[in-house]
């Protein structure tokens, strides 16, 4: 079958910059600035947005203001209009905090590799899944949706390549617990297209395509190529970060996620709708750049979009 023979009309862009992006900035963005960034992203048409984390402020001080961020932005989470906000949640304490804010979705996270998981949450993979055995049903009982992440699917900074069956086993546990979708993470951006084809094909033998998302960090400039492989295979949700801001504090050398503008530019150019206004998205990138106080790496962000019209 030819490449891109069956392109979808529409895909979902899952914006993670206020969480994945800002958790890795050395300077903490003030709470009102975070709210401004979230407002600009929603204004550009982003419908799924990870706004913060209910993790330990000792581990991630940049997101210690999670409750305040949600308090300021909650009116923008119009679930009746398909706009969903999420926040990372590592344990029952995180769930209690999430419930107190009224947010509609939490995201639980675990690595395919033991050493990254231990560095990230100070627990083995099995211990982490045991915590989520409590958290996920409790969250669903309260009416929250739960998303899952599996990190280091394409490779671990401490263990190298990880057998795909290990990632599938972890993802299966998250699905069984009640996650509506599992996002597969290339945490350190090592993936390449043929490897991606093998990983996605292996996952699609076990799961429906719409229960899988891709969360690619762009450390080596391969995130977009890998996403296009996933698109061709039927994946319809892609995580991205405005301007490419971000990384993972417990994965040395990890860079930001695939830049949202690069993803939207490419998809719309292929005739695949995202529901996002690229001009407004580019403006949101300018807001984010001003807040973090340094140049963001996204290509479309840097090229600008005005030049397209000339
Ligand atoms: P710990 O130190 O093993 O456990 O941390 P603890 O229970 O002793 O907690 C330490 C302190 O934090 C205690 O405070 C707790 O009360 C408090 P103290 O008694 O010392 O004053 N605490 C909390 N405070 C607020 N909210 C909570 C909470 N839980 C405990 N929910 C823990 C274990 C899991 C808490 C910690 O390791 C942690 O927070 N880790 C999060 C690390 C993180 O956020 N990493 C980045 C996100 S993952 C990622 O980026 C990958 C992803 O993007 C996908 C990909 O790219 O592949 C998702
Ligand atoms: Mg990430």
């Amino acid at each position: 079958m030819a490449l891109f023979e069956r392109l979808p009309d529409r895909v979902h862009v899952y914006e993670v910059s206020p969480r994945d992006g800002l958790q890795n900035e050395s300077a903490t963005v003030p709470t009102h600035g975070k709210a401004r960034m979230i407002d600009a992203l929603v204004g550009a048409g982003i419908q799924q947005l990870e706004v913060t984390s209910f993790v330990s402020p000792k581990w991630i001080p940049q997101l210690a203001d999670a409750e305040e961020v949600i308090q300021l932005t909650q009116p923008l989470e119009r679930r009746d209009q398909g706009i969903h906000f999420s926040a990372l949640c590592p344990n029952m304490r995180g769930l209690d905090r999430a419930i107190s804010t009224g947010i509609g979705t939490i995201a639980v996270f675990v690595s395919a590799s033991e050493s990254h998981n231990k560095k990230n949450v100070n627990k083995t993979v099995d211990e982490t899944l045991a915590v989520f055995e409590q958290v996920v049903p409790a969250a669903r009982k309260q009416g929250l949706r739960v998303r899952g992440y599996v990190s280091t699917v394409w490779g671990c900074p401490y263990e190298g390549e990880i057998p795909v069956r290990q990632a599938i086993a972890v993802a299966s546990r998250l699905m069984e617990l009640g996650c509506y979708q599992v996002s597969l993470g290339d945490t350190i951006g090592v993936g390449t297209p043929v490897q991606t084809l093998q990983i996605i094909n292996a996952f699609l033998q076990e799961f429906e395509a719409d229960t899988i998302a891709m969360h690619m960090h762009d450390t080596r400039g391969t995130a977009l190529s890998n996403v296009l492989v996933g698109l061709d295979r039927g994946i319809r949700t892609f995580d991205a970060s405005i301007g490419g801001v971000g990384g993972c504090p417990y994965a040395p050398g990890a860079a930001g996620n695939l830049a949202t503008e690069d993803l939207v530019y490419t998809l719309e150019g292929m005739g695949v709708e995202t529901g996002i206004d690229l001009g407004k998205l580019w403006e949101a990138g300018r807001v984010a750049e001003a807040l973090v106080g340094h140049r963001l790496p996204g290509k479309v962000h840097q090229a600008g979009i005005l030049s397209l019209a000339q």
Side-chain angles (χ1 to χ4, degrees):
M1 196 199 295
L3 195 63
F4 302 133
E5 206 164 61
R6 286 178 308 151
L7 281 176
D9 294 335
R10 175 132 191 167
V11 302
H12 305 286
V13 173
Y14 205 108
E15 176 68 34
V16 294
S17 56
R19 192 280 299 173
D20 205 339
L22 299 188
Q23 76 183 11
N24 207 40
E25 286 296 321
S26 45
T28 298
V29 171
T31 310
H32 275 91
K34 292 174 180 169
R36 211 158 57 243
M37 185 170 149
I38 291 164
D39 187 46
L41 288 163
V42 173
I46 294 283
Q47 291 208 298
Q48 304 192 72
L49 184 57
E50 198 151 272
V51 291
T52 188
S53 283
F54 291 108
V55 297
S56 166
K58 291 197 172 135
W59 285 62
I60 308 282
Q62 296 91 331
L63 304 183
D65 58 354
E67 280 84 351
E68 292 85 347
V69 169
I70 296 177
Q71 198 184 14
L72 286 175
T73 56
Q74 245 316 271
L76 299 171
E77 190 189 8
R78 295 292 305 271
R79 301 201 272 272
D80 56 331
Q81 295 175 12
I83 300 176
H84 295 275
F85 286 3
S86 65
L88 279 195
C89 178
N91 53 23
M92 287 303 282
R93 170 97 183 269
L95 176 61
D96 290 342
R97 292 177 62 198
I99 290 168
S100 76
T101 64
I103 198 166
T105 307
I106 58 159
V108 296
F109 55 106
V110 58
S111 309
S113 58
E114 283 295 345
S115 12
H116 180 263
N117 201 68
K118 189 84 184 167
K119 293 262 187 210
N120 203 29
V121 292
N122 201 23
K123 285 187 174 54
T124 66
V125 169
D126 276 342
E127 285 166 352
T128 307
L129 289 167
V131 172
F132 295 150
E133 270 169 28
Q134 287 193 294
V135 171
V136 180
R140 295 196 59 201
K141 212 168 154 198
Q142 292 289 327
L144 278 86
R145 301 191 316 163
V146 185
R147 192 181 202 227
Y149 283 102
V150 181
S151 292
T152 65
V153 176
W154 276 256
C156 169
Y158 312 105
E159 294 173 36
E161 208 163 315
I162 302 300
V164 68
R165 64 172 189 284
Q166 222 167 290
I168 288 177
V170 172
S172 300
R173 292 280 303 277
L174 292 178
M175 295 282 194
E176 283 157 18
L177 291 178
C179 291
Y180 75 91
Q181 182 177 67
V182 172
S183 186
L184 309 179
D186 184 3
T187 315
I188 52 169
V190 285
T192 50
V194 172
Q195 180 198 16
T196 301
L197 189 62
Q198 288 161 353
I199 290 173
I200 297 300
N201 279 345
F203 266 89
L204 292 179
Q205 284 181 6
E206 307 288 331
F207 306 102
E208 296 295 325
D210 64 359
T211 63
I212 298 294
M214 288 172 69
H215 177 101
M216 311 306 284
H217 285 264
D218 202 23
T219 320
R220 292 165 184 80
T222 55
L224 187 54
S225 329
N226 293 327
V227 157
L228 293 177
V229 170
L231 179 74
D232 184 63
R233 299 314 303 149
I235 304 299
R236 298 292 177 254
T237 303
F238 301 102
D239 298 1
S241 187
I242 193 81
V245 63
C248 175
Y250 297 100
N257 297 85
L258 171 60
T260 316
E261 301 92 320
D262 297 6
L263 176 64
V264 170
Y265 175 83
T266 304
L267 290 170
E268 295 278 343
M270 294 169 80
V272 178
E273 271 180 44
T274 60
I276 295 167
D277 178 323
L278 188 57
K280 288 184 181 166
L281 190 67
W282 187 78
E283 295 292 346
R286 302 261 298 175
V287 171
E289 186 167 65
L291 289 167
V292 299
H294 61 79
R295 197 160 177 248
L296 293 179
K299 293 289 187 197
V300 172
H301 169 76
Q302 290 187 8
I305 54 156
L306 290 177
S307 57
L308 290 178
Q310 288 165 5

